[in-house]
Amino acid sequence: MSGTLMTSFKARLLTQLQANATLSAIQVTYADPAGAARRECVFLGDIINNRHEPESISTGRRRRIEEFDLEVIVSVGSKPRSSPQDNEARAVVLADAVETVIVEDPQLNNLTGLLYCQITSMELSTVETGEGPLTEITLTIQAKARLT
């Protein structure tokens, strides 16, 4: 019986993102690169709201439906004289590439147990720093899987 699809989902999504033509030239990581982040990066964040429900009510081991949300963060930092609008425009291009990966293959190359994944929300944040604007877009990806 599989306990969760969370880690295999993250690993497969990372592989799919790294293979995307738009994202292949930038830093794409499994977790927050923190101090090692490059000017443009995409990284997998936290998994939140993990829920399990039995597919049917019976005794013994049961198949379950697992749903969870994964945050994917697109981060774009610029030079001091760059405009926040240009920074946001570049972040949107990268977020669109993440969305393309999900929309074109919602089962992530037939990941065992995954029924589908989809983007359910996006958040945009831009701050002015002493080194130029920093823009982050957080995409929330919902995954639904059947655990056996």
Side-chain angles (χ1 to χ4, degrees), residues 16 20 22 24 26 31 33 44 54 58-59 68-71 75 86 95-96 99 102 114 120 136 140 147:
Q16 300 286 95
N20 176 274
T22 302
S24 65
I26 69 163
L44 306 183
S58 63
T59 59
F68 57 85
D69 299 326
L70 170 65
E71 295 175 327
S75 179
D86 290 343
D96 285 347
E99 184 175 22
I102 300 299
L114 181 64
T120 57
E136 285 191 351
T140 302
L147 304 177

Side-chain angles (χ1 to χ4, degrees), residues 111-132:
L111 176 62
T112 302
L114 181 64
L115 299 173
Y116 66 86
C117 62
Q118 64 185 355
I119 294 177
T120 57
S121 68
M122 289 187 193
E123 296 177 20
L124 170 69
S125 173
T126 299
V127 296
E128 295 279 359
T129 71
E131 299 173 4

Side-chain angles (χ1 to χ4, degrees), residues 79-141:
K79 297 178 181 175
R81 294 196 180 132
S82 299
S83 78
Q85 294 91 341
D86 290 343
N87 221 47
E88 287 181 351
R90 178 61 180 157
V92 167
V93 167
L94 299 178
D96 285 347
V98 173
E99 184 175 22
T100 296
V101 168
I102 300 299
V103 169
E104 290 183 353
D105 187 5
Q107 292 179 316
L108 298 183
N109 199 24
N110 296 316
L111 176 62
T112 302
L114 181 64
L115 299 173
Y116 66 86
C117 62
Q118 64 185 355
I119 294 177
T120 57
S121 68
M122 289 187 193
E123 296 177 20
L124 170 69
S125 173
T126 299
V127 296
E128 295 279 359
T129 71
E131 299 173 4
L134 174 64
T135 299
E136 285 191 351
I137 295 179
T138 302
L139 299 97
T140 302
I141 300 174

Side-chain angles (χ1 to χ4, degrees), residues 29-84:
T29 63
Y30 189 84
D32 186 345
R38 296 188 189 137
R39 190 175 75 76
E40 295 182 343
C41 68
V42 173
F43 61 91
L44 306 183
D46 294 333
I47 289 184
I48 53 176
N49 299 326
N50 186 305
R51 300 164 302 283
H52 289 233
E53 292 185 21
E55 196 168 52
S56 64
I57 304 299
S58 63
T59 59
R61 291 187 184 242
R62 298 176 273 203
R63 291 182 0 170
R64 294 171 289 141
I65 299 297
E66 176 181 44
E67 289 186 37
F68 57 85
D69 299 326
L70 170 65
E71 295 175 327
V72 176
I73 295 87
V74 173
S75 179
V76 176
S78 289
K79 297 178 181 175
R81 294 196 180 132
S82 299
S83 78

